[in-house]
Amino acid sequence: MPNARASTGRSLVDVISKGAAQSWQMDNRAQTMLAGKFDFGFAVDWMRKDLGICLAEAKRNGARLPAIALIDQFYAQVQIRGGRRWDTSSLIHLLAQD
């Protein structure tokens, strides 16, 4: 991300990590996420495999999981951008404009 985007990203991270959405991911990975470093954890390909299993079971038993379907679409976009082996924190990459 260019500096202006990184600055905006840092502001976003500050709001999220200091508020109700505080998480291990934001506390420990925020700086690497802002630096575009996504080679630390669970790969997007694996996440999509697991989400696919979840969505297939939901379809089989008639459950509706619109949030999971949306998250799966976001990870599909990361894959299209070349992030198949990036970790799941790479969703932040979708905030960057091409």
Side-chain angles (χ1 to χ4, degrees):
M1 286 184 199
N3 289 339
R5 287 191 195 126
S7 178
T8 301
R10 275 190 283 283
S11 297
L12 177 64
V13 165
D14 286 344
V15 168
I16 292 170
S17 65
K18 305 292 188 274
Q22 186 173 5
S23 69
W24 181 95
Q25 187 87 342
M26 297 307 293
D27 289 343
N28 294 282
R29 291 294 317 288
Q31 296 308 311
T32 55
M33 290 164 63
L34 292 172
K37 297 178 182 176
F38 307 117
D39 58 349
F40 296 97
F42 197 71
V44 169
D45 280 350
W46 302 338
M47 177 61 82
R48 290 219 54 226
K49 175 195 63 80
D50 289 353
L51 292 173
I53 292 168
C54 180
L55 290 167
E57 178 60 21
K59 183 176 181 178
R60 188 191 67 73
N61 70 29
R64 294 176 32 125
L65 301 175
I68 300 301
L70 180 61
I71 292 165
D72 184 55
Q73 290 175 26
F74 289 154
Y75 281 121
Q77 291 176 16
V78 170
Q79 286 177 316
I80 290 167
R81 292 179 178 213
R84 300 179 62 91
R85 298 294 295 162
W86 292 347
D87 68 41
T88 56
S89 73
S90 62
L91 282 178
I92 197 170
H93 193 268
L94 299 179
L95 297 176
Q97 296 177 343
D98 294 330

